[in-house]
Amino acid sequence: MKILVLGAGGQLGRQLCAALTDLGEITAATRDGRQVEGVSDAHLATADLAAPDSVLDLLERVRPDIIVNAAAYTAVDAAESDEATASAINAQAVGDIAAWAGQHGALLVHFSTDYIFDGRASEPYPEDAPTGPAGAYGRSKLEGEALLATSGAHYLLFRTAWVYAPWGKNFLLTMLRLAADRDELRVVADQVGAPTSVALIADATRAAIAAWLTALPRERQVLEGTYHVVASGQTSWHGFAQAIVDRATSTGLLARRPLVVPIATSDFPTPARRPAYSVLDNRKFQHAFAFPLPDWTVGLTQVMNELCEAKHV
């Protein structure tokens, strides 16, 4: 079984390479073809979704049975002034990959975002909720979803949100860095979501692929489609920051506890409007694949323990 992971150098791609190793032969594709830290058993390859020929050439060379696309344009604010690039990577490239998968009978696993919704709901969004992205990034991701859905490919589309890891660039690591230097952190308290670790997403992805591989053709058709893969529960960015600081202080990652001050979104203006409500209903995935998606605090504890262990090695 040949598995191609696109975007293997990103925080999710790195975790996926490790999680999927026992399912087949992994080819880890990054924009520069460099070794992925923490991944030693994968073949290395180069692919840039902004350069479609490089991706299609790689697909023809590897001929994967499963394509896992963790590559994306995720610079939410920059997309407002560069929507063409965001669309090229998040939509057009996805359409090209999906077309190849459809022609060759491959399974395409693709990741999307809460930004395809308007963020004005008051209860978790189900998969079939009306969409209404408020910015360029969300529009580009929604366009990619549409191209995937009409491609004729076998696919699993996983929407996720508030993603973090013990590596890369993310909210958790930013809070830890700032908390080490400041006495006070000012964090938005009127945006709500479910912080989700890359470990949870990767493990859920592995479970879904394994279920698809062992299913009969008719059962595969039932499994394919769109799912929300996020942790359960909800909090605000302020609540997430407070939990990070509390755990970091108790485990010794922080020598002192800074004050975490709640602020409004209007106090922290950005070029792209953030969804006020990003909670996604994850029950469909849990039911279809018999895979639990626990409360967001479980993943946070696991990541904080991992960081603490790494510090003391």
Side-chain angles (χ1 to χ4, degrees):
M1 184 65 60
K2 294 181 179 179
I3 303 174
L4 172 62
V5 179
L6 299 168
Q11 60 179 1
L12 175 56
R14 172 178 166 180
Q15 188 79 41
L16 285 164
C17 287
L20 301 177
T21 299
D22 66 330
L23 293 183
E25 181 181 295
I26 305 293
T27 296
T30 64
R31 282 184 295 180
D32 54 17
R34 292 183 181 179
Q35 178 71 45
V36 178
E37 186 176 351
V39 178
S40 58
D41 297 331
H43 302 289
L44 303 180
T46 302
D48 184 353
L49 267 65
D53 288 346
S54 73
V55 180
L56 294 176
D57 288 347
L58 179 61
L59 290 169
E60 287 296 331
R61 189 165 68 252
V62 176
R63 294 281 174 142
D65 303 291
I66 299 172
I67 307 161
V68 182
N69 182 32
Y73 183 107
T74 57
V76 174
D77 289 325
E80 293 301 307
S81 57
D82 192 14
E83 188 164 358
T85 300
S87 181
I89 294 172
N90 292 341
Q92 295 157 29
V94 174
D96 291 342
I97 296 166
W100 189 95
Q103 292 165 8
H104 295 83
L107 171 67
L108 175 54
V109 181
H110 179 64
F111 298 91
S112 192
T113 173
D114 59 297
Y115 276 75
I116 62 130
F117 296 116
D118 62 9
R120 301 184 188 278
S122 57
E123 57 185 35
Y125 286 99
E127 284 79 359
D128 59 356
T131 56
Y137 168 67
R139 287 192 295 270
S140 71
K141 294 295 286 184
L142 184 59
E143 184 183 355
E145 288 193 12
L147 291 172
L148 174 58
T150 57
S151 67
H154 299 291
Y155 75 90
L156 293 169
L157 171 62
F158 296 149
R159 295 180 185 139
T160 190
W162 290 34
V163 179
Y164 67 96
W167 51 71
K169 296 180 180 180
N170 56 71
F171 182 84
L172 179 142
L173 295 182
T174 297
M175 288 299 103
L176 288 176
R177 175 175 55 81
L178 295 177
D181 297 330
R182 300 182 182 181
D183 295 323
E184 179 181 286
L185 302 178
R186 294 168 54 82
V187 186
V188 170
D190 55 1
Q191 295 173 25
V192 177
T196 304
S197 72
V198 294
L200 180 60
I201 300 170
D203 288 346
T205 300
R206 186 209 171 281
I209 292 175
W212 187 87
L213 287 172
T214 57
L216 297 172
R218 186 179 301 175
E219 295 170 336
R220 286 181 174 183
Q221 291 181 353
V222 174
L223 289 176
E224 292 168 14
T226 301
Y227 297 88
H228 290 166
V229 179
V230 290
S232 297
Q234 64 182 56
T235 188
S236 65
W237 287 117
H238 173 267
F240 188 24
Q242 186 66 67
I244 292 167
V245 167
D246 289 345
R247 284 164 173 76
T249 305
S250 65
T251 57
L253 282 173
L254 288 176
R256 55 185 176 76
R257 186 192 304 269
L259 183 65
V260 184
V261 178
I263 63 171
T265 297
S266 58
D267 296 326
F268 190 73
T270 56
R273 181 174 73 81
R274 268 52 175 177
Y277 189 83
S278 294
V279 184
L280 306 179
D281 188 332
N282 60 19
R283 290 177 295 178
K284 178 183 173 183
F285 183 92
Q286 296 188 81
H287 176 75
F289 298 105
F291 185 91
L293 296 169
D295 191 81
W296 66 271
T297 57
V298 175
L300 176 59
T301 298
Q302 293 170 343
V303 170
M304 296 301 288
N305 287 341
E306 187 174 342
L307 289 171
C308 189
E309 291 172 4
K311 179 181 179 181
H312 292 97
V313 169

